[in-house]
Amino acid sequence: MTVHVLTAKEVTSKIINKEALFILDVRNESDFRDWKIEGHQFQHLNVPYFDLLDGVEEILEKIPSDKEVLVVCAKEGSSVMVADMLSEAGLTVSYLKGGMKAWSEYLEPVKVGDLKEGGEIYQFVRIGKGCLSYMIVSNGEAAIIDATRMADVYINFAKERGVTVKHVFDTHLHADHISGGRVIAEATNAAYWLPPKDAEEVIFDYKALEEGSDVVIGNTAITIQPLYSPGHTIGSTSFIVDDQYLLSGDILFIDSIGRPDLAGMAEDWVGDLRETLYTRYKALSDELIVLPAHFMIIDELNDNGSVAEKLGTLFAKNHGLNIEDESEFRHLVTDNLPPQPNAYQEIRETNMGKVSPDEEKQREMEIGPNRCAIR
């Protein structure tokens, strides 16, 4: 039998289209429990590779013959060997090209919508990590918000559309993933913007992202006034784009809210978080479409693969926006925090410019799921 290859892009398509897939994950049990490929119609079997060195006979009856089968490992090599053994046993199987390393780095560009004066807004869905970043395109110019370290994806996307990147923004100093903002800005001669209250320890030059710093891309206004929105970090800043979209950074997600503890300031920042969510955001139009910087669960994806919802809908359905008692809110935010992101202090220092790990080290630092949310 022939062993097939599936790319991260092809697996992403299966998730968006809600197709069935059976995944044999041959990583260690702890790695599998911590982070796996998820889809509405996906089934999983976790058997560590070392348990299969003597053959796959004992697991054959656990693998369905009526579903597409994908073998997954960390970097590809082990999954190729297991897929070969399953093929020799008569099964039709595929392996994931590049393994979970490739899965962590894949970005799926999704068009979110059109802008009033021409142009578009795109969301880049990092499906394996839960990160969301954006490109606003208008009249030959582009702005990028909350870019991941895979800078070439954004640069090439802009080139394919014949647009010039003029501005690159980070809504806050990220602690769960390494920003590609500075790299993109340097490669395209664009301005790099960062909230100054998050940039007190950075060792590079940047433009101060503050209220009133409205920026125009082509024919499209990116409004920062009046959306200084602390809580996830002290400098967290939101954007209103084209009077249609609210880019909420890591303050508000579709099914959860942002955590305030990644700089060790949970008790101090929980009040800021509540003020942002329950006062600043409450004063905005219910019709604004919220575009967050992360998603937490696969159910947050829309039918086209985007992650977006009207602000009014979130105030009706998001539990984190409906806790009337302030002490109960404080308890939720400070006492029920999920585990810290992998290597988050090193990631913060990298985004400050204090350390410059090589590419393989950066991959290791980022491995794992999104952990910026409280649910």
Side-chain angles (χ1 to χ4, degrees):
M1 304 290 285
T2 303
V3 174
H4 303 283
V5 182
L6 280 182
T7 63
K9 180 177 180 61
E10 290 170 322
V11 176
T12 299
S13 178
K14 292 180 182 299
I15 292 172
I16 294 171
N17 295 324
K18 296 181 172 60
E19 297 176 24
L21 184 66
F22 185 91
I23 298 177
L24 171 61
D25 194 316
V26 298
R27 294 176 298 151
N28 293 331
E29 292 178 13
S30 59
D31 294 335
F32 173 76
R33 283 196 305 269
D34 186 50
W35 178 49
K36 62 180 180 290
I37 299 174
E38 298 184 79
H40 289 97
Q41 302 294 327
F42 287 10
Q43 292 178 274
H44 300 84
L45 173 65
N46 174 225
V47 182
Y49 168 71
F50 290 108
D51 292 348
L52 300 173
L53 291 176
D54 293 331
V56 295
E57 288 75 16
E58 292 187 6
I59 66 167
L60 290 177
E61 62 181 20
K62 299 179 181 179
I63 299 176
S65 58
D66 60 344
K67 287 188 175 72
E68 187 173 1
V69 176
L70 177 68
V71 186
V72 172
C73 69
K75 296 181 180 180
E76 182 185 300
S78 299
S79 62
V80 172
M81 295 180 214
V82 173
D84 283 338
M85 288 191 284
L86 291 172
S87 177
E88 290 173 4
L91 293 178
T92 301
V93 296
S94 305
Y95 67 87
L96 178 62
K97 184 177 181 180
M100 293 298 284
K101 179 177 74 173
W103 183 245
S104 173
E105 296 180 345
Y106 177 67
L107 297 173
E108 175 78 12
V110 179
K111 182 178 175 181
V112 175
D114 294 311
L115 304 175
K116 295 174 183 176
E117 300 299 326
E120 307 88 32
I121 182 166
Y122 294 91
Q123 183 180 70
F124 291 77
V125 182
R126 190 175 178 184
I127 191 79
K129 180 73 177 167
C131 301
L132 301 168
S133 47
Y134 298 90
M135 184 182 292
I136 300 157
V137 174
S138 179
N139 195 29
E141 297 181 352
I144 299 170
I145 298 99
D146 287 333
T148 68
R149 62 179 171 79
M150 282 70 76
D152 287 349
V153 175
Y154 306 94
I155 294 170
N156 292 336
F157 191 86
K159 285 180 180 177
E160 289 167 5
R161 276 147 189 80
V163 297
T164 301
V165 178
K166 291 290 188 178
H167 299 275
V168 183
F169 302 88
D170 273 315
T171 57
H172 61 287
L173 186 78
H174 297 281
D176 74 306
H177 71 275
I178 296 166
S179 169
R182 280 190 298 139
V183 173
I184 295 170
E186 290 170 4
T188 61
N189 292 316
Y192 177 55
W193 299 75
L194 190 64
K197 289 186 179 182
D198 276 3
E200 293 178 353
E201 296 184 60
V202 305
I203 60 171
F204 51 81
D205 293 331
Y206 66 94
K207 293 181 74 70
L209 180 58
E210 299 175 300
E211 291 187 1
S213 306
D214 294 0
V215 175
V216 175
I217 302 300
N219 301 322
T220 300
I222 302 175
T223 306
I224 299 156
Q225 175 80 23
L227 284 172
Y228 168 56
S229 42
H232 178 65
T233 66
I234 195 60
S236 291
T237 302
S238 306
F239 298 81
I240 293 179
V241 175
D242 205 34
D243 293 323
Q244 295 187 78
Y245 302 99
L246 170 62
L247 274 66
S248 59
D250 281 353
I251 286 290
L252 176 62
F253 309 118
I254 302 305
D255 194 49
S256 53
I257 59 176
R259 62 191 296 170
D261 68 309
L262 295 185
M265 302 290 285
E267 291 290 343
D268 294 333
W269 290 355
V270 63
D272 290 323
L273 180 63
R274 185 174 176 86
E275 173 74 12
T276 291
L277 294 174
Y278 284 66
T279 302
R280 289 185 177 91
Y281 277 12
K282 191 68 174 177
L284 301 175
S285 168
D286 284 347
E287 296 301 308
L288 285 173
I289 298 171
V290 175
L291 299 173
H294 284 91
F295 68 95
M296 188 174 182
I297 56 175
I298 208 71
D299 291 343
E300 294 176 65
L301 268 65
N302 296 320
D303 289 343
N304 68 347
S306 69
V307 180
E309 184 55 87
K310 285 187 177 181
L311 182 59
T313 301
L314 297 190
F315 271 111
K317 295 183 176 180
N318 187 317
H319 173 66
L321 296 178
N322 289 280
I323 303 172
E324 293 185 11
D325 184 80
E326 188 168 345
S327 62
E328 182 184 344
F329 181 87
R330 181 176 291 272
H331 172 74
L332 169 76
V333 170
T334 60
D335 296 348
N336 297 296
L337 293 166
Q340 299 278 18
N342 186 47
Y344 75 100
Q345 289 288 16
E346 290 178 272
I347 291 172
R348 279 170 48 82
E349 291 183 358
T350 301
N351 288 334
M352 292 174 188
K354 291 183 175 181
V355 296
S356 299
D358 61 29
E359 187 172 357
E360 191 56 37
K361 176 62 176 176
Q362 290 184 38
R363 287 194 180 107
E364 292 175 8
M365 289 161 60
E366 288 191 338
I367 285 295
N370 163 37
R371 288 182 175 141
C372 283
I374 298 167
R375 194 164 173 261

